[in-house]
Amino acid sequence: SYVLTQPPSVSVAPGRTARITCGGNNIGSKSVHWYLQKPGQAPVLVIYADSDRPSGIPERLSGSNSGNTATLTISNVEAGDEADYYCQVWDSSVDFYVFGTGTKVTVL
Amino acid sequence: QVQLQESGPGQLKPSETLSLTCTVSGGSIYPYYWSWIRQPPGKGLEWIGYIYHDGGTTYNPSLKSRLTISVDMSKNQFSLKLTSVTAADTAVYYCARLRSNEAFEIWGQGTLVAVSP
């Protein structure tokens, strides 16, 4: 089965840039989606189709995808960006939805 | 805007059947894909399965033998039944709407289901 690997944690100072990676075999050929989840809350879609933002999601969040790595970038990090972030793909070959292992972002 | 709300019992004993319903408000079941996802306490997200508005389903193979997802268009609801539960099924269960069959664009708030003797 398809596996998505994320770093368990990323720490970043306010105002800096956080980059969260999502590794998968030839992930560049798939459409990657990103969610943030705050404690006790449901996940929220923040990036879909590699780099598109749903309405209401700030431009500070951006995504890219190439080769074996997809990346979620959070620019000008704020305290409110502290959350768990998950990547996700649809493995069309077996019609199966895969989530990454999740990354906890801590704002220093 | 479209909102999803899960409902169902919060506690079960091993071997019982878990039944959850997701009610869709502010929009129609048609013509979307609808899914269930779960998250064990302190762990990551696991996709359970999805149903199309016409009743077509696809399930996670690891749960397929115990799982049924159904839809009731007249009530704007879809449901999950998971038989023979064990402690490993303890999780927050979310319902969600799929965007273009790929991304989970709208989520319910989740409901915690605990399985214990």
Side-chain angles (χ1 to χ4, degrees):
Chain A
S1 61
Y2 195 75
V3 176
L4 295 174
T5 303
Q6 300 180 235
S9 62
V10 167
S11 298
V12 58
R16 308 290 286 196
T17 297
R19 292 180 179 84
I20 305 162
T21 58
C22 176
N25 184 32
N26 197 26
I27 195 174
S29 67
K30 300 183 184 301
S31 192
V32 179
H33 321 290
W34 290 91
Y35 305 84
L36 75 79
Q37 184 181 34
K38 296 189 177 180
Q41 297 184 21
V44 174
L45 179 67
V46 293
I47 294 288
Y48 66 94
D50 294 341
S51 58
D52 290 335
R53 278 183 305 275
S55 62
I57 302 301
E59 292 183 8
R60 300 186 298 107
L61 276 68
S62 61
S64 62
N65 183 20
S66 179
N68 293 317
T69 304
T71 303
L72 174 69
T73 300
I74 310 173
S75 303
N76 192 19
V77 165
E78 303 172 353
D81 295 325
E82 272 206 349
D84 294 326
Y85 291 80
Y86 293 91
C87 57
Q88 175 254 316
V89 300
W90 174 51
D91 186 347
S92 59
S93 65
V94 290
D95 197 8
F96 189 92
Y97 294 83
V98 183
F99 287 96
T101 48
T103 298
K104 182 176 184 61
V105 170
T106 300
V107 180
L108 301 171
Chain B
Q1 72 276 25
V2 176
Q3 293 185 313
L4 309 183
Q5 178 67 60
E6 304 89 350
S7 58
Q11 275 208 295
L12 290 171
K13 294 185 184 335
S15 81
E16 292 185 332
T17 295
L18 168 62
S19 295
L20 295 175
T21 295
C22 183
T23 300
V24 180
S25 59
S28 174
I29 287 274
Y30 178 89
Y32 295 97
Y33 289 83
W34 304 90
S35 195
W36 290 97
I37 296 148
R38 69 182 183 180
Q39 184 172 37
K43 296 191 177 180
L45 300 164
E46 179 185 30
W47 172 70
I48 296 172
Y50 75 73
I51 189 163
Y52 195 38
H53 65 88
D54 65 359
T57 55
T58 296
Y59 299 151
N60 185 324
S62 70
L63 299 169
K64 188 174 182 177
S65 64
R66 300 190 290 130
L67 180 64
T68 302
I69 298 177
S70 58
V71 65
D72 187 334
M73 296 264 295
S74 67
K75 294 182 179 179
N76 234 28
Q77 294 176 335
F78 61 104
S79 300
L80 169 152
K81 276 187 173 28
L82 187 66
T83 61
S84 304
V85 298
T86 69
D89 296 310
T90 293
V92 175
Y93 285 74
Y94 296 99
C95 58
R97 189 177 86 176
L98 275 157
R99 176 190 177 96
S100 302
N101 195 31
E102 289 227 20
F104 303 98
E105 61 175 344
I106 303 172
W107 295 64
Q109 66 185 28
T111 187
L112 175 62
V113 176
V115 180
S116 63

